[in-house]
Amino acid sequence: MWTANSRQVYANPWMTVREDEIRRADGSDGIYGVVDKPDYALIIPLERNADGAAGRREGLWLVEQYRYPLGMRRWEFPQGTAPGLAAAEPTGLAERELREETGLRAERMTELGMLDVAAGMSSQRGRAFLATELTHGAHERELEEQDMRAALFDRAEVESMIAGGEMTDAQSIAAYTLLLLHERGRPRTNDS
């Protein structure tokens, strides 16, 4: 398959949409509408109570925000892209998004794997990270994120939210699966 013609049909500060005329291997023509967005980072912040500190429990940090296309608030792991459609180094982007959305800083950031958002209509890809050895600070949210809130949930709560449809973000659910595989010692393959 090859692209015969491509034209941008829409653009804003977060994405572009293009229409590609393609020619298939059998010689037939076709068309694709593609949403282009920069790659993102998704972070699973894991709070551990290794030192037995009173008042701090173990669990996973989630953020809740209003998702305009769905018209509802949703819980998910912190995630995002660099501003202005810019490309960013994945680990640095993960650190920035974690700090921005939750105020957390991670001493360790472990890459869990690659995720494709919606390969049938978007070129966007993301990398999932496990953030550990957390320290707490003030969040640095963007204007669009001012109604966001962060909360700590134990794993049983997260799994209940997934099973009950309270947490439906596909990237968050897929990243949680990558976390489970990582914890089981399953080696990951590099996919860039």
Side-chain angles (χ1 to χ4, degrees):
M1 182 180 320
W2 59 276
T3 305
N5 188 33
S6 183
R7 68 184 181 97
Q8 182 176 296
V9 296
Y10 176 78
N12 69 33
W14 300 276
M15 68 181 205
T16 62
V17 178
R18 64 183 155 91
E19 184 175 272
D20 291 352
E21 296 173 16
I22 57 107
R23 170 112 349 124
R24 296 181 189 92
D26 68 359
S28 63
D29 294 328
I31 192 167
Y32 273 96
V34 180
V35 176
D36 287 316
K37 293 184 76 167
D39 288 352
Y40 69 95
L42 180 147
I43 308 90
I44 300 177
L46 175 60
E47 186 81 56
R48 291 189 174 129
N49 192 2
D51 61 2
R56 185 175 291 176
R57 65 182 228 218
E58 295 183 358
L60 303 171
W61 284 94
L62 300 176
V63 294
E64 184 205 44
Q65 64 183 316
Y66 182 76
R67 288 301 193 178
Y68 180 84
L70 298 176
M72 60 183 69
R73 299 186 66 79
R74 304 310 298 161
W75 285 101
E76 58 196 43
F77 290 115
Q79 58 191 287
T81 61
L85 300 175
E89 186 275 321
T91 304
L93 178 60
E95 291 167 348
R96 185 183 72 78
E97 285 297 319
L98 179 64
R99 182 181 63 251
E100 180 182 290
E101 294 188 4
T102 67
L104 297 169
R105 278 97 174 137
E107 185 68 29
R108 294 192 55 169
M109 195 69 76
T110 304
E111 186 175 333
L112 298 173
M114 176 73 75
L115 299 171
D116 295 326
V117 174
M121 67 175 205
S122 178
S123 64
Q124 188 178 37
R125 306 187 88 193
R127 293 189 188 272
F129 291 87
L130 171 62
T132 56
E133 300 175 36
L134 304 176
T135 57
H136 297 253
H139 64 75
E140 302 169 9
R141 295 182 183 136
E142 296 175 352
L143 185 60
E144 297 83 11
E145 300 170 331
Q146 293 306 306
D147 71 335
M148 180 181 284
R149 67 184 181 116
L152 183 65
F153 295 89
D154 66 39
R155 287 184 186 233
E157 290 172 306
V158 170
E159 291 178 10
S160 178
M161 292 166 74
I162 292 169
E166 188 177 353
M167 184 175 173
T168 58
D169 178 61
Q171 287 73 241
S172 292
I173 295 168
Y176 187 69
T177 301
L178 290 173
L179 172 64
L180 296 176
L181 293 172
H182 170 78
E183 291 174 337
R184 291 180 186 150
R186 184 175 181 116
R188 75 177 174 88
T189 59
N190 291 330
D191 182 9
S192 49

